[in-house]
Amino acid sequence: MTEDVNPFKSLQQQLDQAASYLDIDDGLLERLKQPERVLETNLTIKRDDGSLDTVQAYRSQFNGDRGPYKGGIRYHPGVNRDEVKALSGWMVYKCAVVDIPFGGGKGGIAIDPSNYSVDEIERITRAFATELRPLIGEEKDIPAPDVNTGQREMNWFKDTYETLEDTTAPGVITGKAPDSGGSAGRVEATGRSTVIAAREAFEYLGRSIEGASVAVQGYGNAGWIAAKLAHSMGAQIVAVSDSSGGVYSKEGLNPVRVREHKDETGSVVGYEGAESELTNEELLTLDVDLLIPAALENAIDEEIASDISADIISEAANGPLTPKADNILADKDVHIVPDILANAGGVTVSYFEWVQNRQRFYWDEKRVNDELESVIVNAFDTLIDTYEEKNLPTLRTAAYVVAIQRVINAYDQGGAWP
Ligand code: NAD
């Protein structure tokens, strides 16, 4: 990586770029570019050996004009204030582009969870939930999973909140296990929307995802499900990777077997059905029809972008392209389905989970998947209409134009407050 890109600056550049196609007052644009508030806190927990450990944690509530703040909680050593601010801002525009009634938030703890026991992770999670309790709530701020967090952490989070509040409030957090109030289809939702959006992009270009060659960077929740669903639509998964490296097969990999291998060994590397191994950089620059970055932000910088040969990119990860990479790929006519639409399945099914929690009435998986399909296809169609009507340079700009306009409408309609 040659660029050291601050994701918060990337977000602000994306907003500036889209705003230049809208008639927005400078003061209002500034409001759209800054979080409403950020909590920075230090959590102290007891390690299993009795020693104390203090870790940094954050929660950013970026914008609540369209509804309660909504966004995941990430456990990763790279978590920092600006990253959390950026991720919370992307949530605002993601919820707006798929038109679900939420604002945007995001949280994180700067730890490498592999350095902690399960009991220690539980204590860290409960300490964070305790610290966040005054800020969150079913109608205020609703966290969810992100990198290195999942159902287990969400269940602990809900239990901590409900115990401290002496109530039941399953809608305080989403991404829970089904027996703790989770929704059918939530685990698969992010990968599912990434692939639905990619399928729509192929169709828009007069092509088909069936038979397309696909490379997937990152084989966690988002990446592996995207690989599995693309494979089920007849695409050929020629390469996948994780933080240890990647595997390649010209004839196509079996995504389920690769996942089983990763579950057994901790990595996709060494999968016996592969033809060869490759680095993440080699994977990103493969000559494929569809590239799915599903690891972390800034995975593709300008150097990698110049070597990218994919026709379509569907962004499962948040912010996987640096702004310079984005410009290079736009010049190369690579069709990029932006993260705020492609990976919006996660938050959309989180919304469905919240609706079900509030109603205490649960849907089956088919209903969840059908509703998700219609949200993503409608959002994609609106995006294309705006892209064509306004003659916008990229689908990303079109997504931000749609989303910013919706946030501004909600803010304006709220009227003035002294
Ligand atoms: P995860 O922890 O389940 O998986 C992350 C994967 O990325 C792992 O396979 C890891 O090995 C790999 N990875 C990490 N660093 C890497 C590197 N430098 N090179 C290659 N691979 C690397 O996380 P996830 O939930 O799948 O999230 C992945 C991305 O998708 C993140 O950007 C996240 O914000 C975004 N996202 C996730 C959801 C969701 O519902 N899970 C929703 C929206 C967006």
Side-chain angles (χ1 to χ4, degrees):
M1 298 266 302
T2 49
E3 281 178 82
D4 185 15
V5 176
N6 179 327
F8 184 52
K9 296 268 179 299
S10 302
L11 166 76
Q12 293 189 319
Q13 282 176 32
Q14 288 162 350
L15 292 171
D16 281 335
Q17 199 180 4
S20 67
Y21 298 93
L22 288 163
D23 183 18
I24 307 183
D25 173 86
D26 283 352
L28 183 52
L29 179 57
E30 196 51 30
R31 172 185 165 76
L32 298 175
K33 286 164 60 180
Q34 297 292 346
E36 289 173 16
R37 66 189 67 81
V38 182
L39 171 81
E40 180 172 345
T41 178
N42 294 294
L43 309 171
T44 300
I45 60 123
K46 201 174 257 186
R47 304 280 317 233
D48 292 340
D49 65 4
S51 64
L52 293 180
D53 191 25
T54 296
V55 297
Q56 268 184 326
Y58 306 85
R59 181 79 184 165
S60 168
Q61 296 181 330
F62 202 93
N63 183 295
D65 292 339
R66 300 184 72 257
Y69 308 102
K70 185 85 192 81
I73 288 178
R74 173 178 293 198
Y75 292 178
H76 192 274
V79 164
N80 60 60
R81 195 181 176 94
D82 274 358
E83 183 188 66
V84 171
K85 278 160 61 175
L87 291 165
S88 66
W90 281 320
M91 288 306 298
V92 176
Y93 300 102
K94 187 181 302 187
C95 292
V97 85
V98 290
D99 208 8
I100 57 174
F102 285 140
K106 202 81 174 193
I109 306 182
I111 52 165
D112 179 349
S114 65
N115 292 336
Y116 294 87
S117 70
V118 172
D119 284 349
E120 289 169 341
I121 293 287
E122 179 172 354
R123 289 199 286 278
I124 291 172
T125 304
R126 289 196 189 277
F128 195 29
T130 304
E131 192 66 28
L132 288 184
R133 186 179 61 92
L135 290 181
I136 61 175
E138 291 181 302
E139 300 287 359
K140 283 160 66 176
D141 182 352
I142 305 146
D146 192 68
V147 175
N148 291 329
T149 60
Q151 292 182 344
R152 185 183 69 176
E153 288 76 16
M154 303 304 111
N155 302 341
W156 290 332
F157 213 99
K158 164 185 166 272
D159 180 70
T160 309
Y161 181 84
E162 290 185 333
T163 304
L164 294 173
E165 290 285 324
D166 192 20
T167 188
T168 58
V172 69
I173 195 156
T174 58
K176 305 174 293 290
D179 288 335
S180 290
S183 176
R186 173 62 184 86
V187 171
E188 296 212 338
T190 302
R192 184 174 292 278
S193 67
T194 303
V195 173
I196 293 172
R199 183 198 67 202
E200 295 299 297
F202 274 105
E203 277 176 24
Y204 176 64
L205 297 169
R207 298 172 55 180
S208 170
I209 194 167
E210 201 181 336
S213 55
V214 181
V216 182
Q217 185 208 26
Y219 216 59
N221 176 270
W224 115 258
I225 298 292
K228 186 181 81 161
L229 294 176
H231 184 254
S232 74
M233 288 180 190
Q236 214 173 24
I237 312 302
V238 295
V240 301
S241 70
D242 58 27
S243 47
S244 307
V247 286
Y248 173 81
S249 169
K250 196 175 172 208
E251 304 309 317
L253 301 159
N254 179 323
V256 177
R257 298 255 164 75
V258 178
R259 181 70 210 188
E260 286 165 359
H261 176 82
K262 184 171 166 73
D263 286 343
E264 276 162 29
T265 65
S267 172
V268 299
V269 176
Y271 170 62
E272 63 287 352
E275 214 173 277
S276 57
E277 298 193 345
L278 78 182
T279 64
N280 267 288
E281 198 162 328
E282 286 164 343
L283 177 142
L284 293 167
T285 53
L286 281 175
D287 186 5
V288 285
D289 299 312
L290 172 64
L291 174 63
I292 299 181
L296 294 179
E297 58 267 16
N298 296 335
I300 299 174
D301 64 10
E302 55 184 316
E303 231 173 69
I304 295 175
S306 332
D307 292 336
I308 279 191
S309 311
D311 300 338
I312 298 175
I313 297 179
S314 189
E315 296 180 333
N318 286 308
L321 309 185
T322 66
K324 282 184 187 162
D326 209 13
N327 291 338
I328 290 170
L329 292 171
D331 289 345
K332 288 171 76 164
D333 281 337
V334 177
H335 299 274
I336 299 168
V337 185
D339 48 4
I340 60 170
L341 173 63
N343 71 29
V347 74
T348 303
V349 176
S350 273
Y351 166 56
F352 298 158
E353 179 174 333
W354 178 81
V355 167
Q356 294 168 76
N357 290 156
R358 306 292 281 148
Q359 297 186 341
R360 302 292 207 262
F361 177 76
Y362 289 84
W363 309 350
D364 64 17
E365 189 166 353
K366 181 178 180 316
R367 175 163 178 198
V368 172
N369 290 345
D370 288 350
E371 301 266 4
L372 174 61
E373 165 94 19
S374 96
V375 167
I376 299 299
V377 171
N378 286 341
F380 188 87
D381 290 347
T382 305
L383 191 76
I384 293 296
D385 288 348
T386 306
Y387 174 67
E388 291 184 344
E389 271 165 28
K390 291 188 180 287
N391 196 19
L392 296 171
T394 63
L395 293 179
R396 189 185 315 282
T397 305
Y400 277 98
V401 165
V402 170
I404 290 173
Q405 191 59 61
R406 287 183 175 150
V407 176
I408 290 176
N409 291 349
Y411 179 71
D412 279 348
Q413 288 159 15
W417 188 256

